């Protein structure tokens, strides 16, 4: 290996890290990968990626009903399917499922630890990596937590009444009114009245609030109101208000108080002390501990919250707390913004500032007491920290800074690959048409800002499309995940399910990754594809020279922190369209924040943070910021940088303490910035069509794209990565139906003295790409992506794209003989007069399995033909010509090179198409699991297209 390459690669892991992981699959794979990557050897790593780059799976240990034989069987099954590692995730047993009388093994018991040891040892033999959930279910919790160690929430109960009125209200009614819509309430929770107030409606001043807490007697309070509108307003604290969602025995108790440092340390140490006391150090057997969804249901309190707030923010917020809170709904999200009494304008402005302070204080405490301690605990045990470091009330960007492996999430849901209007896309909590959630761009940006190349994603999470797992949809969602900055998928998930479990097996959540799935024999095609992408991108640095900042502070002020990745309300709703439009037009960006700007340096027009630098900053409707941020932005512009303010200029500070002076400071710096009208620019957002709007901004303000795209399209997106002496581009078409022409021109600095290549992640092959005037024109078929690499390599085969179907094509129209081999073992044959979607054939609409389409073609001059195009195929296709198999096609255009295979006279054509399962599962009316996922209210799925639909053309 070249010395320079070795030194660069060594920066990924320190010598201590290699010692820490000595002997496990993770370290061996990384060392192997690094050893193979020197100079021009990046392609070899891409072509034959090490196991560490292969997709992992979340391995649901359903009910901890585990035993050695089955654990080993499933590890081997996953290995054969191209999975490189498992995330061990104990979780509750799925309801309405036969547990076969198998007992649960209690989490952290000696028996459970011994089974964990067995799993780790067997995985190591298979060269597979193991991660371990630091708990069971989500979020963390356990039976051994007591008192203040349990999660706490402060909520409000508001009963609006009209005076004059004398009445009595029981505390039971107030508790019932205040009770949050917790998904997983803990039976031992204890509500406590903190105070009861009589509040006029509207409320103009805090002096109008009458505290009547002392008048509580016999678990009730008497109310005597004069004429007018009022509210009985109770502030209620609930200790231990929720239990672990989907927890297993031993880990299904009350949720941890993440704001209590001693409780966090006790909980985490309990895990490592219990396991390592019995089987020794986990370092070398576990790559990382993992934090799953921080679905804390709105937890917002701890014993010293009031004291800490006053110390940090400079005033006591407690008298105003009842009016800072909204009605709390499921997952802690705001369910009613108008639940409280109305307030006067001045009062509302004050409460908004205090609400920001409360949210900021919670985020600080969470970072200091949970996140930092979690990372420290992992490091002390010589194990990586991996986390979905977001939820409700956490810093969306900085939350991932301290994690060794930041993680986002990408979902499967109906609408992926379909045409979705911007209006519908902006509806929350779902981003219709996208698999990647909004948080992914924050998580990947955090990784980039901290110089991390490994960014994982809980991927293909599926609660809507169960049994409709097509590899093509996997690819579209996965490519969207890649575009958002993810470099390694963790599939969600593989269910521990004994081989003799009743069909379809044990399913905790959707995502039917199971050997009984019709697509399973072909699954390795997709794992190979993602492994090659990951191996390549993890050696590269994500390129971005544009920064964007969202109005997180304004959102916290007006609506409170939201539950990521599916917030109740986003400010503004079009936020994600900004970064998407930048990438659709050949630029690239990262999210930044006030904290990032505060720590940045400015020189020659660049905003520099660590190794990252940006020449342009977009502020998306940012109205509030700290004076320090305003001053820093001024320094950036003064140094030559440029700032675009979309819809609004910053106009005030955030928070309450000393806000009048802070407002003047912000306004002063904004005034100074306006003296640079060519660099500090106000932009109106478009009413629609963000991609064309950004293209206009590019042209008007000379923002140079590194990839100039002639006609931007919502479905066509790209990212750019850089390696040692190489430029890497990933361009994808996320439409499941449309073929789209791409006309793109690369910057001279990218192409100069470099050869362009297409690297095919599906096959591992590469082809020389001869560009004319740096221009690349191609028709991107549905679900198709291109990896284009510019490097110093010179020798290779030229790329030959499959041509369009010619006017002289021969269409295969006459009857086809078909054989249907159902997944449950039956088989039948029939003639099909015309190729038809099987879902539209009544007697075949509930089929699942493989259909063989056979056709005899008379050819007089075989040299006239080179390709066979199958047209539309719903499923995974295999083509056999005159007995020779030409391979599997699982996405995009199904066109095969048949040149030299045809002969004069009769030719035997066979097309095998393997369908999805969902239509069949819908028909199993006596199967509770099948019906739950396909026909039940809220999960009813439509029939899906199946088979060879054509037209089939030889050309």
């Amino acid at each position: 290996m070249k010395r320079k390459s070795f030194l660069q690669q060594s920066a990924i892991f320190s010598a201590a890290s290699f010692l820490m992981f000595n002997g496990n699959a993770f370290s061996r794979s990384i060392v192997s990968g690094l050893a193979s990557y020197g100079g021009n050897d990046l392609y070899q790593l891409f072509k034959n990626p090490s196991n560490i780059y292969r997709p992992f799976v979340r391995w649901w240990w359903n009910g901890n009903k585990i035993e050695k034989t089955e654990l080993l069987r499933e590890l081997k099954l996953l290995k054969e399917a191209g999975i490189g590692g498992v995330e061990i995730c104990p979780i509750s047993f799925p309801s309405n499922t036969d547990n076969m009388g198998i007992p649960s093994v209690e989490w952290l018991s000696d028996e459970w630890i011994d089974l964990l040891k067995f799993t780790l040892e067997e995985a190591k033999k298979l060269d597979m990596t193991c991660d371990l959930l630091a708990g069971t279910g989500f979020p963390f919790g356990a039976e051994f937590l007591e008192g203040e160690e349990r999660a706490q929430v402060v909520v409000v109960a508001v009963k609006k009444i009209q005076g004059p009125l004398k009445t009595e209200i029981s505390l039971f009614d107030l508790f019932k009114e205040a009770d949050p819509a917790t998904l997983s309430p803990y039976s031992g929770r204890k509500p406590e009245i903190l105070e009861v107030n009589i509040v006029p409606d509207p409320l103009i001043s805090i002096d109008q609030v009458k505290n009547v807490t002392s008048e509580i007697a016999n678990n009730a309070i008497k109310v005597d109101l004069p004429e007018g509108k009022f509210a009985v307003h109770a502030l209620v604290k609930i200790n231990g208000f929720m239990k672990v969602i989907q927890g297993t025995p031993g880990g299904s108790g009350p949720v941890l108080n993440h704001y209590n440092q001693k409780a966090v340390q006790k909980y985490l140490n309990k895990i490592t002390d219990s396991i390592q006391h019995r089987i020794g150090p986990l370092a070398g057997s576990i790559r990382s501990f993992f934090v799953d969804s921080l679905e804390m249901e709105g937890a917002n309190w701890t014993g010293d919250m009031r004291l800490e707030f006053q110390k940090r923010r400079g005033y006591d917020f407690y008298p105003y707390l009842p009016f800072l809170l909204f009605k709390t709904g499921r997952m802690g999200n705001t369910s009613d913004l108008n639940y409280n009494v109305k307030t006067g304008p001045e009062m509302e402005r004050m409460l908004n500032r205090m609400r920001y302070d409360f949210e900021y204080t919670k985020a600080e405490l969470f970072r200091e007491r949970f996140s930092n301690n979690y990372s420290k605990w992992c490091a002390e045990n010589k194990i990586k920290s991996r986390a979905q470091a977001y939820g409700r009330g956490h810093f969306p960007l900085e939350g991932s800074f301290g994690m060794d492996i930041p993680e986002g999430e990408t979902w499967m849901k109906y609408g992926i690959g379909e045409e979705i209007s911007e209006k519908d896309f902006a509806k929350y909590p779902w981003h219709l048409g996208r698999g990647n959630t909004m948080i992914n761009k924050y998580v990947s940006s955090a990784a980039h800002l901290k110089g991390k190349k490994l960014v994982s994603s809980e991927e293909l999470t599926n609660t809507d499309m169960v049994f409709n797992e097509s590899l093509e949809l996997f690819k579209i969602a996965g490519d969207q995940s890649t575009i958002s900055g993810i470099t390694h998928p963790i599939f969600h998930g593989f269910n521990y399910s004994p081989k003799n479990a009743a069909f379809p097996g044990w399913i905790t959540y959707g995502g039917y990754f199971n050997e009984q799935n019709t697509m399973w024999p072909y699954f390795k095609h997709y794992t190979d594809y993602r492994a090659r992408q990951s191996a390549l991108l993890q050696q590269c640095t994500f390129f971005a020279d544009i920064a964007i900042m969202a109005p997180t502070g304004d959102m916290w002020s007006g609506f409170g922190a939201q539950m990521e990745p599916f917030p109740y309300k986003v400010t503004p709703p079009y936020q994600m369209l900004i970064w998407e439009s930048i990438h659709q037009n050949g630029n690239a960006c990262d999210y930044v924040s006030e904290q990032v700007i505060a720590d940045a340096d400015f020189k020659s027009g660049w905003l520099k943070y660590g190794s990252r630098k940006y020449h342009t900053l977009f502020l998306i409707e940012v109205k509030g910021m700290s004076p320090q941020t305003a001053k820093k932005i001024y320094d950036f512009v003064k140094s030559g940088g440029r700032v675009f303010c979309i819809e609004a200029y910053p106009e005030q500070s955030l928070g309450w303490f000393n806000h009048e002076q802070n407002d003047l400071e912000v306004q002063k710096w904004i005034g100074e910035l306006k003296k640079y009208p060519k660099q500090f620019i106000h932009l109106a957002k478009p009413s629609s069509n963000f991609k064309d709007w950004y293209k206009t901004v590019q042209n008007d303000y000379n923002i140079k794209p590194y990839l100039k795209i002639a006609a931007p399209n919502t479905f066509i997106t790209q990212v750019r990565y850089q390696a040692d002496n190489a430029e890497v581009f990933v361009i994808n078409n996320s439409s499941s139906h449309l073929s789209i022409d791409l006309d793109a021109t690369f910057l001279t600095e990218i192409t100069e003295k470099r050869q362009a290549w297409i690297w095919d992640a599906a096959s591992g092959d590469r082809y020389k790409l001869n560009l004319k005037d740096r221009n690349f024109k191609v028709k991107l078929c549905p679900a198709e992506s291109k990896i284009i690499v510019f490097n110093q390599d010179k020798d290779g085969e030229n790329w030959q794209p499959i041509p369009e179907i010619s006017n002289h094509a021969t269409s295969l129209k006459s009857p086809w003989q078909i054989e249907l081999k159902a997944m449950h073992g039956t088989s039948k044959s029939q003639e099909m007069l015309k190729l038809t979607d099987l879902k539209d054939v009544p007697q075949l609409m509930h089929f699942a399995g493989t259909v063989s389409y056979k056709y005899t073609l008379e050819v007089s001059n075989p040299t006239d033909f080179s390709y066979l195009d199958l047209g539309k195929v719903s499923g995974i296709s295999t083509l056999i010509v005159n007995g020779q198999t030409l391979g599997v096609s699982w996405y995009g255009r199904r066109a095969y090179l048949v040149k030299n295979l045809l002969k004069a006279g009769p030719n035997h054509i066979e097309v095998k198409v393997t369908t999805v399962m969902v239509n069949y599962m819908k028909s199993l009316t006596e199967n509770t699991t099948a019906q739950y996922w396909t026909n039940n209210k809220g999960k009813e799925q439509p029939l899906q297209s199946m088979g060879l639909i054509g037209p089939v053309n030889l050309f």
Side-chain angles (χ1 to χ4, degrees):
M1 177 189 290
K2 295 180 181 178
R3 182 176 182 274
K4 180 181 177 183
S5 297
F6 175 78
L7 292 175
Q8 289 172 332
Q9 294 148 14
S10 297
I12 300 175
F13 286 95
S14 66
S17 297
F18 283 122
L19 291 173
M20 179 176 84
F21 289 111
N22 183 33
N24 79 338
F26 176 67
S27 65
R28 293 198 305 274
S29 300
I30 285 293
V31 173
S32 173
L34 293 177
S36 67
Y37 172 32
N40 296 330
D41 291 335
L42 180 59
Y43 172 65
Q44 294 304 320
L45 180 63
F46 167 83
K47 184 177 179 65
N48 299 297
S50 304
N51 279 343
I52 192 62
Y53 300 116
R54 290 197 158 275
F56 291 7
V57 294
R58 178 171 297 180
W59 193 10
W60 302 116
W61 281 11
N62 284 316
N64 270 336
K65 296 179 181 294
I66 50 177
E67 57 87 27
K68 291 182 178 180
T69 302
E70 181 60 26
L71 287 168
L72 180 56
R73 184 188 80 87
E74 294 187 10
L75 279 172
K76 290 180 177 178
L77 189 70
L78 290 167
K79 171 78 172 184
E80 292 169 359
I83 296 299
V86 293
E87 170 202 303
I88 298 168
C89 189
I91 199 162
S92 62
F93 191 75
S95 59
N96 300 319
T97 304
D98 181 8
N99 66 17
M100 304 165 62
I102 300 174
S104 293
V105 181
E106 184 171 320
W107 178 61
L108 296 185
S109 67
D110 287 350
E111 183 182 0
W112 187 87
I113 294 170
D114 290 343
L115 287 165
L116 174 66
K117 179 184 179 183
F118 170 81
T119 303
L120 301 178
E121 290 173 344
E122 294 302 321
K124 187 177 293 187
K125 293 176 186 176
L126 294 168
D127 196 28
M128 297 178 72
T129 301
C130 290
D131 290 353
L132 179 63
L133 183 71
T136 80
F138 47 89
F140 294 157
E143 284 88 339
F144 57 77
L145 297 173
E146 302 173 328
E148 291 288 312
E149 298 168 349
R150 299 172 177 178
Q152 301 175 27
V153 66
V154 171
V155 290
V156 291
V158 178
K159 285 187 170 291
K160 296 178 181 178
I161 47 183
Q162 180 78 39
L165 178 68
K166 288 186 178 182
T167 188
E168 182 176 276
I169 301 175
S170 71
L171 297 190
F172 175 82
D173 286 341
L174 291 176
F175 289 144
K176 185 177 179 181
E177 176 66 28
D179 196 21
T182 307
L183 177 67
S184 183
Y186 177 55
S187 59
R189 57 188 178 160
K190 297 178 180 179
E192 171 190 352
I193 291 286
L194 297 180
E195 63 180 47
V196 179
N197 298 298
I198 302 297
V199 183
D201 189 2
L203 176 64
I204 306 301
S205 166
I206 197 71
D207 297 333
Q208 296 175 286
V209 177
K210 180 182 179 182
N211 190 316
V212 294
T213 313
S214 60
E215 298 176 25
I216 295 175
N218 300 319
N219 290 317
I221 187 163
K222 292 183 179 180
V223 177
D224 187 355
L225 298 175
E227 186 174 351
K229 292 181 178 180
F230 296 88
V232 176
H233 206 297
L235 191 65
V236 178
K237 184 179 81 169
I238 308 175
N239 192 56
F241 74 102
M242 70 173 294
K243 69 176 181 180
V244 176
I245 302 169
Q246 305 285 54
T248 65
S252 61
V255 164
L256 170 70
N257 184 345
H258 291 68
Y259 299 110
N260 183 322
Q261 183 166 322
K262 289 183 178 179
V264 169
Q265 292 170 336
K266 171 184 173 179
Y267 175 83
L268 295 174
N269 289 334
K270 172 72 172 178
I271 296 172
T272 41
D273 289 349
S274 299
I275 296 174
Q276 297 183 146
H277 175 74
R278 185 164 180 83
I279 64 174
L282 284 169
S285 297
I286 293 288
R287 176 187 72 157
S288 72
F289 286 120
F290 175 56
V291 177
D292 192 11
S293 302
L294 287 164
E295 297 177 19
M296 294 164 56
E297 300 269 23
N300 61 5
W301 202 254
T302 193
D304 62 347
M305 179 66 78
R306 183 176 181 181
L307 180 64
E308 283 294 328
F309 183 98
Q310 191 163 357
K311 182 172 68 176
R312 294 163 187 257
R313 306 282 87 85
Y315 67 97
D316 184 9
F317 78 121
Y318 192 75
Y320 302 89
L321 179 58
F323 311 105
L324 304 182
L325 303 173
F326 299 107
K327 182 67 173 175
T328 303
R330 187 178 181 274
M331 287 291 115
N333 264 320
T334 302
S335 63
D336 186 354
L337 290 171
N338 300 309
Y339 180 66
N340 224 311
V341 297
K342 295 179 180 178
T343 54
E346 288 300 320
M347 183 78 172
E348 183 176 0
R349 283 191 283 270
M350 178 178 66
L351 293 175
N352 285 348
R353 290 180 178 276
M354 292 182 174
R355 187 177 295 112
Y356 170 81
D357 286 338
F358 185 38
E359 297 293 356
Y360 196 89
T361 302
K362 286 192 299 176
E364 281 186 324
L365 288 174
F366 183 88
R367 177 171 58 188
E368 294 166 15
R369 296 180 175 183
F370 177 76
S371 298
N372 292 351
N373 280 286
Y374 168 73
S375 298
K376 180 181 177 183
W377 170 71
C378 291
E380 288 172 348
N381 286 281
K382 299 182 173 61
I383 290 172
K384 294 288 184 182
S385 58
R386 178 175 143 241
Q388 296 176 2
Y390 47 85
R392 185 176 190 265
H394 319 313
F395 294 115
L397 184 74
E398 294 87 346
S400 295
F401 276 4
M403 303 304 165
D404 294 316
I405 308 174
E407 177 158 301
E409 54 191 276
T410 297
W411 284 59
M412 291 289 294
K413 51 188 180 287
Y414 283 104
I416 289 175
E418 305 293 334
E419 293 189 73
I420 303 295
S421 70
E422 289 177 341
K423 182 179 180 181
D424 286 338
F425 170 73
K427 292 178 180 176
Y428 287 81
W430 297 103
H431 287 300
L432 294 175
R434 313 298 197 275
N436 54 294
T437 60
M438 192 177 77
I439 200 66
N440 278 17
K441 190 63 173 176
Y442 278 102
V443 169
S444 66
S445 297
H448 304 154
L449 288 160
K450 291 300 180 180
K452 298 168 186 174
K453 298 179 180 179
L454 174 55
V455 189
S456 63
S457 173
E458 170 194 308
E459 197 152 299
L460 308 181
T461 307
N462 186 355
T463 58
D464 287 353
M465 305 177 67
V466 185
F467 305 119
N468 186 21
E469 287 91 357
S470 75
L471 297 189
E472 183 168 77
L473 282 175
F474 280 177
K475 184 179 185 300
I476 293 174
D479 285 345
Q480 289 176 333
S481 190
T482 299
I483 290 297
S484 68
I486 300 301
T487 62
H488 189 228
I490 316 289
F491 295 151
H492 179 292
F494 186 83
N495 284 275
Y496 178 95
S497 182
K499 192 172 184 179
N500 58 343
F503 179 78
W506 297 352
I507 305 177
T508 291
Y509 285 113
Y512 189 56
F513 297 98
N514 186 285
E515 67 272 24
Q516 298 180 84
N517 195 326
T518 52
M519 65 90 178
W520 190 257
Y522 306 95
F523 190 48
K524 194 170 184 296
H525 290 280
Y526 185 60
T527 58
D528 285 349
Y529 172 80
R530 294 307 300 277
R532 292 188 181 106
Q533 271 194 343
S534 295
L536 173 61
L537 298 183
Q538 286 180 41
Q539 313 310 317
C540 305
T541 299
F542 182 96
F543 177 88
D545 55 7
I546 294 173
I548 58 177
M549 190 173 92
T552 302
D554 296 324
M555 180 180 69
W556 285 8
S557 298
F559 312 111
Q562 300 296 297
M563 175 64 198
E564 295 292 353
F566 301 120
Y568 168 78
K569 192 175 183 65
V570 168
T571 304
Y574 61 83
Q575 181 187 141
M576 193 167 163
L577 290 169
I578 299 296
W579 80 255
E580 285 196 348
S581 69
I582 290 172
H583 282 261
Q584 288 159 4
N585 281 276
N587 286 125
C589 60
D590 285 327
Y591 274 112
V592 296
S593 65
E594 288 203 60
Q595 292 183 38
V596 169
I597 293 172
D599 294 334
D601 297 317
F602 311 101
K603 186 177 181 181
S604 302
W606 292 93
L607 185 160
K608 296 184 177 181
Y609 182 94
S611 62
R612 309 298 284 178
K613 61 179 187 177
Y614 312 97
H615 57 67
T616 297
L617 170 65
F618 281 87
L619 301 179
I620 309 176
E621 290 196 33
V622 176
K623 298 175 182 176
M625 62 173 53
S626 72
Q628 294 80 6
T629 302
K631 167 64 167 60
K632 282 281 202 171
I633 291 176
Y634 172 79
D635 292 341
F636 173 49
V637 168
K638 189 177 180 181
S639 78
R642 182 162 51 186
V643 177
F644 291 102
C645 300
I646 301 176
E647 284 293 289
Y649 286 119
E651 59 188 16
Q652 63 184 31
S653 62
L654 297 165
W656 174 251
F657 186 75
N658 205 22
H659 69 275
E660 295 96 339
Q661 182 177 337
N662 290 337
D663 283 355
L664 291 174
E665 279 285 299
V666 170
Q667 291 158 12
K668 181 191 81 171
W669 289 117
I670 299 303
E672 291 297 312
L673 280 162
K674 288 180 179 179
K675 295 177 181 178
Y676 296 82
K678 293 183 179 180
Q679 294 167 254
F680 190 68
I681 302 159
H682 181 278
L683 289 176
K685 74 173 180 67
S687 58
S688 62
N689 202 342
F690 277 77
K691 68 180 188 316
D692 286 354
W693 165 81
Y694 179 75
K695 187 174 183 65
T696 300
V697 173
Q698 266 185 337
N699 294 332
D700 290 350
Y701 297 97
N702 194 29
I703 301 175
K704 184 184 293 185
Y706 53 75
L707 183 64
K708 188 172 183 178
I709 298 173
N713 189 291
T714 304
F715 286 117
I716 304 296
T717 318
Q718 57 76 42
V719 286
R720 175 187 179 186
Y721 281 81
Q722 296 176 311
D724 184 23
N725 205 25
E727 293 275 358
V728 178
F729 296 83
V730 181
I731 306 173
N732 74 274
N733 175 10
S734 61
S735 172
S736 60
H737 305 295
L738 302 176
S739 292
I740 301 170
D741 290 316
L742 174 69
D743 181 349
T745 303
F746 295 90
L747 275 180
T748 303
E749 63 196 53
I750 293 169
T751 62
E752 194 172 29
K753 297 181 181 180
R754 293 189 180 102
Q755 173 62 49
W757 297 82
I758 285 183
W759 289 14
D760 187 345
S763 67
D765 298 328
R766 66 172 176 176
Y767 304 94
K768 288 178 69 173
L769 185 61
N770 296 313
L771 302 180
K772 183 179 181 181
D773 297 327
R774 300 173 283 110
N775 181 253
F776 178 52
K777 290 182 180 179
V778 68
K779 182 181 288 293
L780 289 174
C781 297
E784 188 175 10
S785 57
K786 298 293 183 189
I787 295 176
I788 301 175
V789 178
F790 294 87
N791 63 17
Q792 300 298 322
D793 295 355
K794 300 298 182 185
D795 298 327
E797 182 182 348
N798 288 330
W799 180 56
Q800 298 292 338
I802 298 175
E804 294 296 299
I805 298 173
S806 67
N807 294 330
H808 304 293
T810 295
S811 183
L812 282 60
K813 292 181 178 179
S814 58
W816 293 72
Q817 301 301 316
I818 68 170
E819 182 181 8
L820 299 103
K821 294 182 179 180
M823 63 175 295
H824 49 73
T826 63
S827 178
K828 68 176 181 178
S829 300
Q830 67 183 66
E831 186 177 69
M832 181 172 278
L833 297 178
K834 181 182 178 182
L835 292 176
T836 306
D837 190 333
L838 298 186
K839 77 173 174 59
D840 297 327
V841 181
Q843 64 270 32
L844 301 178
M845 62 192 297
H846 290 122
F847 175 82
T850 298
V851 188
S852 292
Y853 296 81
K854 297 179 181 180
Y855 188 94
T856 300
L857 174 68
E858 288 286 342
V859 175
S860 58
N861 189 357
T863 60
D864 287 346
F865 303 105
S866 296
Y867 297 94
L868 186 69
D869 189 302
L870 302 183
K872 183 177 179 181
V873 178
S874 290
I876 301 167
S877 62
T878 303
L879 176 64
I880 303 167
V881 177
N882 292 327
Q884 184 165 337
T885 301
L886 297 186
V888 173
S889 184
W890 51 277
Y891 71 92
R893 186 180 179 188
R894 312 303 176 89
Y896 295 79
L897 181 65
V898 296
K899 190 175 183 179
N900 300 326
L901 293 178
L902 299 175
K903 60 185 181 180
N907 290 264
H908 301 289
I909 310 294
E910 181 178 4
V911 181
K912 293 184 177 181
V913 178
T914 300
T915 75
V916 295
M917 293 174 59
V918 67
N919 296 4
Y920 170 63
M921 302 304 285
K922 285 174 66 69
S923 72
L924 301 181
T925 55
E926 301 302 316
N927 188 307
T928 304
T929 302
Q931 293 305 294
Y932 173 78
W933 292 109
T934 64
N935 285 337
N936 278 11
K937 183 179 179 182
K939 296 185 182 297
E940 185 172 359
Q941 297 192 56
L943 289 172
Q944 296 300 300
S945 293
M946 298 185 296
L948 177 62
I949 303 170
V952 180
N953 285 291
L954 186 67
F955 64 102

